[in-house]
Amino acid sequence: MFLAILVCKIGRFVGKLVGKGSSLPGKYALKICPDILRRVKMPPHILAVTGSNGKTSTVEMIAAILRADGRRVVYNEEGSNQIEGVTTLVLTHATLTGRVKADVLLIESDERYAAQSFRYFHPTQFVITNLYRDQLTRNGHPEWVYDAIVPAIHPDTELLLNADDPLVSCFGRNHEKVKWFGLDRCPTDFDAPTGVYHDGAHCPVCKAPMTYEFAHYNHIGAYRCTRCGHHRHETDYTATALDLTAGTLTLDRTVEIQLAFCSIYNVYNILAAYAACRECGVAGAAIGKVISNYVLKNGRMQHFTLGGHHGTLLTSKHENSIAYDTNLRYIRSTQRPCTVLVIVDAVSRKYFTSETSWLWDIDFDLLHCPQVERVILAGRYCNDLAQRFSFSALPAQRWSVQPDIAAAAQSLQADGEEDVYVVTCFSDRDKLLNLPIVKKED
């Protein structure tokens, strides 16, 4: 054990010097001592977060809240969320005798590999945010990902589940320790699921048709199976009021929060963080003080200037249509005239497949609204985007193709002063923000 910890610490130190090393030190430690995570002494609270979307943002907010409450928290800030990254995190913050120096170990866990990460220890609380179609070539169908998570759930672990997700709610079946979080009906809801496909059409338990009282977005909402009765549970932690126009959110009727980013995605991340921290004993009012107007540091949303334009960068997960849909709805909800730049320059950070069928799952018709004056398609896969847009509701004269990202930015810089929204993925965002003509705002 001593050698494995020492090698990990040295590898992590060297990795920081070269700007890498969030998972490789853990990989070497596991080769030396495969069950090292069984041998170390963990903190009293082990809090894990997994799901298709919102893991990184939720974990960041949980860390901020718990630290403001005086807890010593360690978490995988760089996002390395498979077993090698988790091992690096744990051993880097452990003594050479194997005691993790923290009050709370907070882990963002990859949904596919959670069973490996929690083979030798288990979380005290386990937050599951959502399960969507995500990275088809890697993850297949959400129900396949569900099956991959099940072995990671220990009987003694308390589950904190999104009650509004019909598939996530299945984790609560036959599990004794479950708390539910969800969003009550709000003015922006739909009467039925939205999106170009309908994953909520059939019950994940018995496959019978499902009915909806309302849907917040896509298939997330108040559902009930017409045969077996699988339904949205009553919530323990609830967003009781939401006004995205005013940017206000109320939790459990008492905690008022001002939203820095008026997106329903942000609301669910806040709600998940709130539920987790309440279960860790933090008062609701204290959580509200930290989260109100909280700006994420992970770069999911960034502001910039480009010539006379005020710009907003909206980062989505590639190969994840729901992430894109929520950002497009955010643009649609704005009132000022704007130009939208859609960049797809890389499909995956890890797997080079050039597989772009997921573009057809994105509801680009959301951009067919008066305030969106034009759309520019850029990046290596701009022609794939153009093919997709040719089947959208946007008239052909409202969108154009500019393969080179720098050239697209330069054309915007010299033209007009309308707002600019950039819709892109994690790996592509820096290709825009690092251009000399783009000025990032604090």
Side-chain angles (χ1 to χ4, degrees), residues 195-213:
V196 299
Y197 57 78
H198 183 4
D199 272 342
H202 297 93
C203 174
V205 178
C206 72
K207 311 306 178 187
M210 286 219 292
T211 60
Y212 276 75
E213 182 182 346

Side-chain angles (χ1 to χ4, degrees), residues 327-366:
N327 281 336
L328 298 180
R329 288 193 191 98
Y330 175 77
I331 295 171
R332 188 182 179 91
S333 70
T334 62
Q335 302 301 317
R336 290 168 53 86
C338 65
T339 291
V340 179
L341 173 60
V342 183
I343 301 173
V344 181
D345 200 58
V347 171
S348 174
R349 291 178 292 176
K350 194 169 184 179
Y351 307 99
F352 184 79
T353 64
S354 292
E355 206 288 304
T356 58
S357 65
W358 53 275
L359 292 174
W360 296 83
D361 292 339
I362 301 171
D363 189 5
F364 285 113
D365 287 355
L366 291 165

